[in-house]
């Protein structure tokens, strides 16, 4: 059973990034009912502090690390705050990058998307997020970037992201994520057979990302109303 952890970089109750991830959950459970999908609430994590870590891991941090360590893949949706990753998401990745040499992010497959009411879809934050994941030795999914523009227009009356173009883009990202899970699993099985279970596969070759990210637009775009 493939286990997927969803992480929203926004704490807002009506966050379009959280709505995008709820759509991801529906897509996964519809197309792959045997899969397991859970969300990691990063707002519960304290600010990273080496003294706090040295004194003993907090229950919220321990639970987050265990959840990620048990996952086959992460799907992270981020807003763009002043062109960067929100502090709460960076904080979560700082905690998950620890302890040194035993981070649950190491070798973990991670897919990235963004959503925003703006016309750029939060795309400005994606390069920094990919760099952070690379620094944590996660394996990022190669896929044309999914940046949901005017995302508030893609929600139905219940606040769910059901607009067909957005759902299609998210389904393609989900498919790429599960394909990456299958490829890495096969590599690990092959290496385990050759060298024993202690071996870990090299990070796969990663082609250059598109110079101009692919962002989907709703049929009737209008100006952004608020932050994501």
């Amino acid at each position: 059973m493939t286990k997927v952890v969803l992480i929203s970089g926004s704490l807002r109750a009506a966050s379009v990034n959280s709505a995008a991830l709820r759509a991801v959950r529906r897509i996964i459970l519809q197309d792959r009912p045997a899969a397991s999908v859970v969300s990691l609430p990063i707002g519960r994590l304290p600010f990273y502090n080496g003294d706090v870590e040295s004194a003993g891991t907090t229950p919220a941090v321990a639970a987050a690390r265990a959840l990620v360590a048990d996952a086959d893949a992460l799907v992270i949706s981020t807003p763009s705050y002043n062109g960067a990753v929100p502090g709460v998401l960076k904080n979560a990745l700082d905690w998950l990058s620890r302890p040194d040499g035993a981070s649950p992010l190491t070798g973990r497959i991670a897919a990235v998307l963004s959503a925003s009411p703006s016309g750029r879809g939060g795309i400005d934050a994606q390069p920094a997020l990919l760099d952070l994941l690379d620094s944590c030795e996660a394996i990022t999914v190669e896929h044309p970037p999914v940046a949901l523009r005017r995302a508030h227009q893609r929600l139905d009356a219940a606040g769910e992201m059901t607009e067909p173009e957005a759902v299609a883009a998210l389904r393609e990202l989900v498919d790429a994520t599960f394909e990456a899970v299958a490829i890495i699993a096969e590599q690990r099985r092959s290496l385990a057979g050759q060298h024993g279970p202690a071996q870990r596969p090299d990070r796969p070759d990663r082609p250059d990302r598109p110079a101009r990210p692919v962002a989907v637009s709703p049929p009737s775009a209008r100006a952004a109303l608020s932050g994501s």
Side-chain angles (χ1 to χ4, degrees):
M1 178 177 66
T2 302
K3 300 178 181 179
V4 179
V5 171
L6 309 178
I7 301 177
S8 174
S10 175
L11 302 183
R12 293 178 60 242
S15 164
V16 291
N17 285 276
S18 297
L21 290 179
R22 291 196 300 272
V24 167
R25 178 194 295 271
R26 291 192 297 272
I27 290 166
I28 292 174
L29 295 181
Q30 176 183 341
D31 295 352
R32 299 170 174 85
S36 170
V37 188
V38 296
S39 297
L40 172 55
I42 61 176
R44 299 177 183 175
L45 302 177
F47 288 122
Y48 178 77
N49 182 327
D51 293 339
V52 173
E53 184 181 28
S54 297
T57 304
T58 69
V61 171
R65 287 175 174 166
L67 196 64
V68 171
D70 195 44
D72 295 293
L74 312 177
V75 180
I76 305 174
S77 187
T78 183
S80 174
Y81 289 175
N82 296 314
V85 174
V88 67
L89 180 54
K90 173 62 163 59
N91 182 64
L93 293 176
D94 286 343
W95 275 115
L96 293 171
S97 71
R98 306 288 299 168
D100 189 27
S103 164
L105 290 173
T106 300
R108 201 70 51 211
I109 295 168
V112 166
L113 67 132
S114 61
S116 172
S118 77
R120 293 184 60 77
I123 191 65
D124 296 343
Q126 288 199 31
L129 178 54
L130 290 165
D131 287 344
L132 283 169
L133 290 167
D134 283 345
S135 294
C136 295
E137 297 188 335
I139 300 172
T140 52
V141 175
E142 289 296 341
H143 185 274
V146 175
L148 301 175
R149 300 172 174 171
R150 321 292 185 191
H152 58 299
Q153 297 180 23
R154 300 174 183 276
L155 306 181
D156 62 18
E160 298 302 326
M161 191 167 288
T162 56
E163 189 266 327
E165 188 181 20
V167 171
L170 294 172
R171 177 168 273 112
E172 288 181 1
L173 183 61
V174 167
D175 289 345
T177 302
F178 274 78
E179 181 180 0
V181 168
I183 290 171
I184 295 302
E186 179 58 33
Q187 289 180 2
R188 287 173 175 158
R189 283 193 295 268
S190 177
L191 285 175
Q194 296 176 24
H195 306 294
Q199 297 294 321
R200 185 165 68 87
D202 293 334
R203 292 169 59 79
D205 291 337
R206 294 162 21 98
D208 292 338
R209 298 189 181 94
R212 297 183 62 83
V214 177
V216 294
S217 301
S220 57
R222 57 189 175 88
L225 300 179
S226 64
S228 54

